[in-house]
mmCIF file of all heavy atoms in Angstrom:
data_model
loop_
_atom_site.group_PDB
_atom_site.id
_atom_site.type_symbol
_atom_site.label_atom_id
_atom_site.label_comp_id
_atom_site.label_asym_id
_atom_site.label_seq_id
_atom_site.Cartn_x
_atom_site.Cartn_y
_atom_site.Cartn_z
ATOM 1 N N LEU A 56 105.867 92.856 87.378
ATOM 2 C CA LEU A 56 106.604 93.084 86.137
ATOM 3 C C LEU A 56 107.604 91.955 85.888
ATOM 4 O O LEU A 56 107.816 91.530 84.756
ATOM 5 C CB LEU A 56 107.334 94.426 86.193
ATOM 6 C CG LEU A 56 106.455 95.675 86.191
ATOM 7 C CD1 LEU A 56 107.320 96.929 86.240
ATOM 8 C CD2 LEU A 56 105.562 95.712 84.958
ATOM 9 N N ARG A 57 108.228 91.493 86.954
ATOM 10 C CA ARG A 57 109.154 90.365 86.841
ATOM 11 C C ARG A 57 108.400 89.108 86.406
ATOM 12 O O ARG A 57 108.911 88.311 85.610
ATOM 13 C CB ARG A 57 109.831 90.145 88.196
ATOM 14 C CG ARG A 57 110.730 88.934 88.289
ATOM 15 C CD ARG A 57 112.058 89.144 87.625
ATOM 16 N NE ARG A 57 112.995 88.077 87.936
ATOM 17 C CZ ARG A 57 114.132 87.883 87.300
ATOM 18 N NH1 ARG A 57 114.474 88.685 86.313
ATOM 19 N NH2 ARG A 57 114.940 86.907 87.644
ATOM 20 N N LEU A 58 107.189 88.925 86.913
ATOM 21 C CA LEU A 58 106.368 87.777 86.526
ATOM 22 C C LEU A 58 106.062 87.818 85.032
ATOM 23 O O LEU A 58 106.148 86.794 84.337
ATOM 24 C CB LEU A 58 105.076 87.774 87.341
ATOM 25 C CG LEU A 58 104.109 86.616 87.078
ATOM 26 C CD1 LEU A 58 104.735 85.292 87.498
ATOM 27 C CD2 LEU A 58 102.790 86.835 87.821
ATOM 28 N N LYS A 59 105.719 88.999 84.515
ATOM 29 C CA LYS A 59 105.451 89.138 83.085
ATOM 30 C C LYS A 59 106.719 88.912 82.272
ATOM 31 O O LYS A 59 106.667 88.361 81.167
ATOM 32 C CB LYS A 59 104.874 90.513 82.790
ATOM 33 C CG LYS A 59 103.505 90.770 83.402
ATOM 34 C CD LYS A 59 102.474 89.781 82.894
ATOM 35 C CE LYS A 59 102.185 89.966 81.421
ATOM 36 N NZ LYS A 59 101.106 89.044 80.941
ATOM 37 N N GLY A 60 107.866 89.335 82.805
ATOM 38 C CA GLY A 60 109.123 89.099 82.116
ATOM 39 C C GLY A 60 109.446 87.623 82.007
ATOM 40 O O GLY A 60 109.948 87.150 80.981
ATOM 41 N N ILE A 61 109.154 86.872 83.067
ATOM 42 C CA ILE A 61 109.356 85.421 83.034
ATOM 43 C C ILE A 61 108.413 84.779 82.020
ATOM 44 O O ILE A 61 108.796 83.855 81.293
ATOM 45 C CB ILE A 61 109.145 84.829 84.445
ATOM 46 C CG1 ILE A 61 110.279 85.279 85.372
ATOM 47 C CG2 ILE A 61 109.067 83.309 84.388
ATOM 48 C CD1 ILE A 61 110.101 84.854 86.816
ATOM 49 N N GLU A 62 107.187 85.273 81.958
ATOM 50 C CA GLU A 62 106.237 84.754 80.972
ATOM 51 C C GLU A 62 106.750 84.981 79.556
ATOM 52 O O GLU A 62 106.671 84.089 78.700
ATOM 53 C CB GLU A 62 104.876 85.419 81.154
ATOM 54 C CG GLU A 62 103.807 84.905 80.206
ATOM 55 C CD GLU A 62 102.475 85.609 80.401
ATOM 56 O OE1 GLU A 62 102.315 86.727 79.832
ATOM 57 O OE2 GLU A 62 101.615 85.067 81.114
ATOM 58 N N ARG A 63 107.300 86.191 79.297
ATOM 59 C CA ARG A 63 107.854 86.468 77.969
ATOM 60 C C ARG A 63 109.025 85.533 77.657
ATOM 61 O O ARG A 63 109.187 85.075 76.521
ATOM 62 C CB ARG A 63 108.299 87.930 77.873
ATOM 63 C CG ARG A 63 107.162 88.923 77.784
ATOM 64 C CD ARG A 63 107.668 90.289 77.392
ATOM 65 N NE ARG A 63 108.609 90.809 78.366
ATOM 66 C CZ ARG A 63 108.267 91.560 79.412
ATOM 67 N NH1 ARG A 63 106.992 91.868 79.614
ATOM 68 N NH2 ARG A 63 109.179 92.012 80.251
ATOM 69 N N GLU A 64 109.866 85.272 78.671
ATOM 70 C CA GLU A 64 111.019 84.399 78.480
ATOM 71 C C GLU A 64 110.567 82.977 78.142
ATOM 72 O O GLU A 64 111.152 82.320 77.274
ATOM 73 C CB GLU A 64 111.871 84.393 79.748
ATOM 74 C CG GLU A 64 113.215 83.720 79.591
ATOM 75 C CD GLU A 64 114.201 84.526 78.791
ATOM 76 O OE1 GLU A 64 113.943 85.733 78.554
ATOM 77 O OE2 GLU A 64 115.234 83.950 78.394
ATOM 78 N N ILE A 65 109.537 82.511 78.800
ATOM 79 C CA ILE A 65 109.036 81.157 78.549
ATOM 80 C C ILE A 65 108.396 81.079 77.166
ATOM 81 O O ILE A 65 108.624 80.125 76.399
ATOM 82 C CB ILE A 65 108.040 80.750 79.646
ATOM 83 C CG1 ILE A 65 108.784 80.526 80.967
ATOM 84 C CG2 ILE A 65 107.261 79.497 79.248
ATOM 85 C CD1 ILE A 65 107.889 80.259 82.139
ATOM 86 N N ARG A 66 107.598 82.077 76.835
ATOM 87 C CA ARG A 66 106.948 82.059 75.532
ATOM 88 C C ARG A 66 107.960 82.156 74.392
ATOM 89 O O ARG A 66 107.722 81.619 73.305
ATOM 90 C CB ARG A 66 105.947 83.216 75.439
ATOM 91 C CG ARG A 66 104.690 82.996 76.280
ATOM 92 C CD ARG A 66 103.705 84.122 76.109
ATOM 93 N NE ARG A 66 102.435 83.829 76.765
ATOM 94 C CZ ARG A 66 101.379 84.636 76.744
ATOM 95 N NH1 ARG A 66 101.446 85.796 76.094
ATOM 96 N NH2 ARG A 66 100.266 84.286 77.365
ATOM 97 N N ALA A 67 109.078 82.848 74.634
ATOM 98 C CA ALA A 67 110.101 82.968 73.593
ATOM 99 C C ALA A 67 110.724 81.626 73.250
ATOM 100 O O ALA A 67 111.282 81.450 72.157
ATOM 101 C CB ALA A 67 111.179 83.951 74.041
ATOM 102 N N SER A 68 110.646 80.659 74.175
ATOM 103 C CA SER A 68 111.214 79.330 73.921
ATOM 104 C C SER A 68 110.240 78.408 73.201
ATOM 105 O O SER A 68 110.596 77.268 72.893
ATOM 106 C CB SER A 68 111.640 78.679 75.243
ATOM 107 O OG SER A 68 110.505 78.411 76.063
ATOM 108 N N LEU A 69 109.029 78.894 72.940
ATOM 109 C CA LEU A 69 108.000 78.065 72.319
ATOM 110 C C LEU A 69 107.729 78.505 70.884
ATOM 111 O O LEU A 69 107.978 79.672 70.529
ATOM 112 C CB LEU A 69 106.701 78.153 73.132
ATOM 113 C CG LEU A 69 106.785 77.748 74.606
ATOM 114 C CD1 LEU A 69 105.444 78.012 75.289
ATOM 115 C CD2 LEU A 69 107.187 76.288 74.744
ATOM 116 N N PRO A 70 107.186 77.624 70.053
ATOM 117 C CA PRO A 70 106.780 78.022 68.702
ATOM 118 C C PRO A 70 105.663 79.073 68.763
ATOM 119 O O PRO A 70 104.916 79.165 69.739
ATOM 120 C CB PRO A 70 106.271 76.713 68.087
ATOM 121 C CG PRO A 70 106.892 75.626 68.902
ATOM 122 C CD PRO A 70 107.017 76.186 70.288
ATOM 123 N N TRP A 71 105.564 79.863 67.700
ATOM 124 C CA TRP A 71 104.572 80.937 67.675
ATOM 125 C C TRP A 71 103.157 80.417 67.924
ATOM 126 O O TRP A 71 102.371 81.064 68.614
ATOM 127 C CB TRP A 71 104.618 81.649 66.320
ATOM 128 C CG TRP A 71 105.705 82.666 66.221
ATOM 129 C CD1 TRP A 71 106.909 82.540 65.613
ATOM 130 C CD2 TRP A 71 105.684 83.987 66.780
ATOM 131 N NE1 TRP A 71 107.657 83.693 65.752
ATOM 132 C CE2 TRP A 71 106.920 84.597 66.456
ATOM 133 C CE3 TRP A 71 104.749 84.711 67.505
ATOM 134 C CZ2 TRP A 71 107.239 85.892 66.845
ATOM 135 C CZ3 TRP A 71 105.054 86.001 67.887
ATOM 136 C CH2 TRP A 71 106.283 86.580 67.573
ATOM 137 N N THR A 72 102.843 79.275 67.357
ATOM 138 C CA THR A 72 101.472 78.760 67.467
ATOM 139 C C THR A 72 101.124 78.269 68.859
ATOM 140 O O THR A 72 99.951 78.046 69.167
ATOM 141 C CB THR A 72 101.272 77.607 66.463
ATOM 142 O OG1 THR A 72 102.276 76.599 66.699
ATOM 143 C CG2 THR A 72 101.400 78.111 65.030
ATOM 144 N N VAL A 73 102.128 78.101 69.713
ATOM 145 C CA VAL A 73 101.904 77.528 71.043
ATOM 146 C C VAL A 73 102.045 78.586 72.141
ATOM 147 O O VAL A 73 101.555 78.392 73.259
ATOM 148 C CB VAL A 73 102.891 76.363 71.289
ATOM 149 C CG1 VAL A 73 102.697 75.738 72.659
ATOM 150 C CG2 VAL A 73 102.731 75.301 70.209
ATOM 151 N N ARG A 74 102.678 79.704 71.838
ATOM 152 C CA ARG A 74 103.010 80.687 72.872
ATOM 153 C C ARG A 74 101.793 81.182 73.654
ATOM 154 O O ARG A 74 101.865 81.395 74.860
ATOM 155 C CB ARG A 74 103.735 81.878 72.244
ATOM 156 C CG ARG A 74 105.104 81.520 71.708
ATOM 157 C CD ARG A 74 105.823 82.735 71.146
ATOM 158 N NE ARG A 74 107.146 82.370 70.651
ATOM 159 C CZ ARG A 74 108.026 83.225 70.148
ATOM 160 N NH1 ARG A 74 107.691 84.510 70.055
ATOM 161 N NH2 ARG A 74 109.203 82.808 69.734
ATOM 162 N N LYS A 75 100.675 81.345 72.983
ATOM 163 C CA LYS A 75 99.500 81.905 73.656
ATOM 164 C C LYS A 75 98.931 80.966 74.718
ATOM 165 O O LYS A 75 98.151 81.393 75.578
ATOM 166 C CB LYS A 75 98.418 82.231 72.625
ATOM 167 C CG LYS A 75 97.904 81.003 71.881
ATOM 168 C CD LYS A 75 96.854 81.394 70.855
ATOM 169 C CE LYS A 75 96.346 80.163 70.092
ATOM 170 N NZ LYS A 75 95.312 80.548 69.085
#
Side-chain angles (χ1 to χ4, degrees):
L56 292 180
R57 175 77 169 167
L58 181 65
K59 295 300 293 183
I61 291 175
E62 182 181 83
R63 287 192 299 269
E64 190 73 13
I65 290 174
R66 287 183 172 182
S68 66
L69 302 175
W71 278 101
T72 56
V73 180
R74 293 182 179 183
K75 63 181 179 180

